[in-house]
Amino acid sequence: MLVAAAVCPCPPLLVPEVAAGAAPELTAARAACTDALGVLAASRPDLLVVVGPAEQSARGPFPEGAPGSFRGFGVDLDVRLGGGVSLAGAPERPLPPSLAVAAWLLERTGWSDAPVEGLGVGEPLEAERCVRAGAGILARADRVALLVMGDASACRTLKAPGYLDERAAGFDAEVARALGAADVAALKALDAELAYELKVSGRAPWQVLAGAAEGADLGGALLYEDAPYGVGYVVAAWS
């Protein structure tokens, strides 16, 4: 069963070394992520599954110890998922950026409470398949926790990556409400086409969470919601 979930944004700028001089702008978001991961640790899971958006080459499962890097962002910084070591002789497929950020968060908070696995999901994945994938995660262990990575719209201001779209603020407000209230039905009902138009990276991971949380009767708390750089970032904890 799903015993807890944390929802965090996944911009590489969350990593201070990547953000450099802009690092203080996300101090509150980092603190909220730390609090959310604390909820995961307190749930005493048997397994933590990290779910995040990924390009086609980085979709599917990742084992504990899978490597990630921020070298593509000009920073000499490497991470491993869960801090473990990959199996000898196993091919090391690099983590997508969203899961690399998650790995950094786990290292930052000293995660050692349960084994960790990763799952990269594609933005185009239909809602029903996301929900089924979430339900399937529950078969991995008796007590499962999820760390769900993803950003809301990238269209909140004129300088946002997707320019200003008047629909973005309303979409993000509903996402923040649903995640803060652990509203599974609302997450399942998110408009995939609108999410795509608003350059939302978290829609599919959030719907995976909805599938895993069906019947779990978890309560939610919204820990952070803002749109620095014109991109919606949400942090929530379910327990």
Side-chain angles (χ1 to χ4, degrees):
M1 67 175 178
L2 184 70
V3 295
V7 177
C8 295
C10 61
L13 287 172
L14 206 60
V15 179
E17 291 89 339
V18 175
E25 296 178 27
L26 291 179
T27 296
R30 292 184 198 97
C33 290
T34 298
D35 291 343
L37 265 64
V39 172
L40 297 184
S43 72
R44 302 180 66 182
D46 298 322
L47 174 68
L48 173 64
V49 179
V50 182
V51 183
E55 298 295 331
Q56 186 163 356
S57 62
R59 293 174 190 167
F62 290 85
E64 182 160 29
S69 174
F70 296 97
R71 295 175 188 270
F73 301 96
V75 175
D76 185 12
L77 177 63
D78 298 319
V79 293
R80 284 193 177 273
L81 186 63
V85 178
S86 60
L87 297 175
E92 291 201 330
R93 194 161 57 108
L95 297 169
S98 66
L99 297 190
V101 172
W104 176 82
L105 285 171
L106 291 170
E107 287 187 7
R108 180 174 183 259
T109 55
W111 179 269
S112 61
D113 300 88
V116 182
E117 296 178 1
L119 177 65
V121 294
E123 185 280 331
L125 193 65
E126 300 91 340
E128 289 185 3
R129 292 182 62 191
C130 292
V131 170
R132 287 201 302 271
I137 288 173
L138 300 183
R140 302 289 296 155
D142 290 337
R143 295 175 59 82
V144 177
L146 289 182
L147 172 54
V148 183
M149 310 297 292
D151 302 337
S153 74
C155 302
R156 291 280 290 273
T157 65
L158 292 173
K159 294 184 178 180
Y163 197 65
L164 175 65
D165 190 310
E166 299 294 346
R167 302 171 295 175
F171 183 93
D172 287 0
E174 171 58 13
V175 164
R177 186 207 64 77
L179 291 173
D183 189 335
V184 170
L187 292 176
K188 288 182 178 180
L190 288 175
D191 187 329
E193 183 175 349
L194 177 58
Y196 176 78
E197 292 174 1
L198 296 177
K199 302 185 183 301
V200 175
S201 71
R203 190 274 308 172
W206 298 331
Q207 290 183 324
V208 171
L209 167 61
E214 185 74 53
D217 197 27
L218 300 180
L222 183 64
L223 305 181
Y224 176 89
E225 193 276 323
D226 202 355
Y229 320 114
V231 181
Y233 298 150
V234 178
V235 181
W238 294 15
S239 63

